[in-house]
Amino acid sequence: MRLGLSDRVLMTFIYVFLALLAFSTLYPFWNAIVISFNIGADTAKGGVTFWPRAFTWENYNIVFSDDRLLNGFVVTIVRTIIGTLTALFMTALLAYGMSKSELIGRKYIMIFFIITMYFGGGLIPTFLLIRSLGMIDTFLVYIIPGMISVWNMIIFRTFFRGLPAGLEESAKIDGCGNWGTFFRIVLPLSGPVLATLGLFTAVAHWNDWFVATIYISNEKLIPVQTMLRQIINASTVTDFLSSADSGAIARIEKMQKVTSKSISMATMMVATLPIITLYPFLQRYFVKGVMIGSLKE
C-alpha cells in the first residue's frame, strides 16, 4: 500500500521526534562517559561534548586506587545481593499467606498494610526506631527496614491467587505441607514476577545513598553511591581525598588532571554499568512479570 504525501510527512515527523527523544535521553549518559575520560582541568574550560578533547585514564586510576571507593563497591554489591534475596523471600512469603482466602481477618490485615503505603511516621520517628533497635552503624540497617514492600506484596499476592488451585491440592495429596507447596510449587512458577521485582529491588538497593547518610558514620560501611555524593559535594577533589596519603594528593595536585567533576563522572560510570548490564538479561520478564502480577482473573 502506497502512502500519500500527508502520510509520509506524518511518518517523517514521527521518526524525527523519536530520534530527538532518543538523543535527549542518551546524550547526558554519553557526555558523562566523555567527561570521565577527559582531563579534569581541560573539562573545566567547557566545550567537551561528544568526544574527549584531552584523553586520560587518570580519573579511573584514582577511582580504582582509592581504598574507600573499592570498599564502597564491596558494600554496595553485598548489600544489593543480600537485600534483594531477603526482600524477595520475605515479601513473597507474606504474599503467599495473604493470598489464602481462609486466612482469618485477611481484609483487615490488608487494610493495615495499605495504610502504610500512604502514611508514615517521618524521618525523626524512623530514626528513633532504628536507634532503639540497635541498627545504627550496622549493616542490618540496609537489610531489615526494606524486607517488606507492600506494593510488591500486592503484585505477588495477585499472581499467587491466579495460580490453578489444583496445583496446590495435588501437592497436598502428595504429602506437601504449606512450606513444601511454597518452595516446590509456587516459587518455581513465579519466575517472571521474581525476576521483574527482583531487578527493581536490586536497582533500589544499588542506587540508594540516603540510608547511609542518615544512619551510618562508619566509613567501612558506606556504599559507593554515598561516596559519589560526597565527591559531588566536594569543592575540590583534594577535599574528598583528604584522608589519602600525602604523596597521592601531591601527585594529583602536581598533575592537575583530575577535578571533583571528572572523578564523580568516572565513579558514576563504574557504579552504573554493573546494574545496567542486568537489564538485557531480564528484559523479557518485565512485561510478562508485571502484567501477570497486576491483573486479576
Side-chain angles (χ1 to χ4, degrees):
M1 183 178 65
R2 300 183 61 182
L3 298 177
L5 179 61
S6 59
D7 294 330
R8 291 197 298 269
V9 172
L10 178 61
M11 293 300 297
T12 302
F13 174 78
I14 293 175
Y15 290 147
V16 172
F17 173 77
L18 292 177
L20 292 175
L21 181 63
F23 174 79
S24 63
T25 303
L26 297 176
Y27 174 72
F29 186 77
W30 175 253
N31 184 248
I33 296 176
V34 170
I35 293 176
S36 70
F37 284 107
N38 200 73
I39 294 177
D42 181 76
T43 303
K45 299 177 183 178
V48 179
T49 54
F50 294 100
W51 304 103
R53 188 167 54 202
F55 185 86
T56 182
W57 289 99
E58 190 63 24
N59 298 316
Y60 288 94
N61 290 337
I62 296 299
V63 170
F64 288 109
S65 63
D66 192 301
D67 292 337
R68 292 175 300 168
L69 289 174
L70 294 179
N71 181 77
F73 280 114
V74 174
V75 172
T76 299
I77 293 172
V78 175
R79 171 195 176 174
T80 301
I81 294 174
I82 297 178
T84 301
L85 294 177
T86 306
L88 284 179
F89 174 74
M90 296 301 296
T91 304
L93 189 63
L94 173 63
Y96 181 66
M98 293 297 298
S99 67
K100 301 302 179 183
S101 57
E102 61 268 22
L103 178 65
I104 300 176
R106 181 168 58 105
K107 292 184 179 180
Y108 298 103
I109 298 175
M110 196 64 199
I111 292 174
F112 172 79
F113 281 123
I114 291 177
I115 290 175
T116 64
M117 294 177 62
Y118 298 98
F119 302 97
L123 181 59
I124 294 178
T126 303
F127 180 86
L128 295 177
L129 174 62
I130 296 296
R131 188 180 64 177
S132 64
L133 293 175
M135 290 191 293
I136 298 294
D137 260 344
T138 66
F139 189 80
L140 293 178
V141 76
Y142 295 136
I143 307 301
I144 294 180
M147 274 187 175
I148 299 296
S149 168
V150 177
W151 175 258
N152 290 348
M153 184 270 289
I154 294 174
I155 295 178
F156 268 123
R157 186 197 66 158
T158 307
F159 174 79
F160 293 156
R161 293 178 67 180
L163 293 176
L167 291 175
E168 295 191 29
E169 293 176 0
S170 300
K172 291 180 179 179
I173 292 175
D174 292 336
C176 278
N178 290 326
W179 286 101
T181 303
F182 178 72
F183 284 106
R184 297 181 182 180
I185 305 297
V186 175
L187 284 185
L189 294 175
S190 307
V193 176
L194 287 171
T196 304
L197 298 183
L199 180 61
F200 293 159
T201 304
V203 170
H205 275 286
W206 186 276
N207 290 335
D208 178 64
W209 57 269
F210 184 74
V211 172
T213 303
I214 301 299
Y215 303 113
I216 301 295
S217 59
N218 185 353
E219 196 171 78
K220 294 182 179 180
L221 294 176
I222 297 179
V224 68
Q225 302 297 350
T226 306
M227 291 282 186
L228 177 59
R229 180 176 179 271
Q230 294 175 1
I231 296 174
I232 295 174
N233 290 339
S235 58
T236 65
V237 68
T238 312
D239 292 340
F240 176 74
L241 299 175
S242 58
S243 62
D245 60 281
S246 58
I249 296 177
R251 177 175 61 85
I252 294 169
E253 292 178 334
K254 182 178 180 180
M255 295 181 69
Q256 295 182 346
K257 286 188 175 183
V258 298
T259 61
S260 59
K261 183 176 182 179
S262 64
I263 291 294
S264 65
M265 291 301 175
T267 306
M268 183 174 66
M269 289 299 103
V270 177
T272 303
L273 290 178
I275 201 68
I276 288 180
T277 56
L278 292 178
Y279 279 88
F281 298 100
L282 300 176
Q283 184 178 6
R284 63 192 180 97
Y285 293 111
F286 285 174
V287 176
K288 184 178 179 182
V290 174
M291 292 299 293
I292 288 177
S294 60
L295 297 179
K296 183 177 181 180
E297 295 293 336

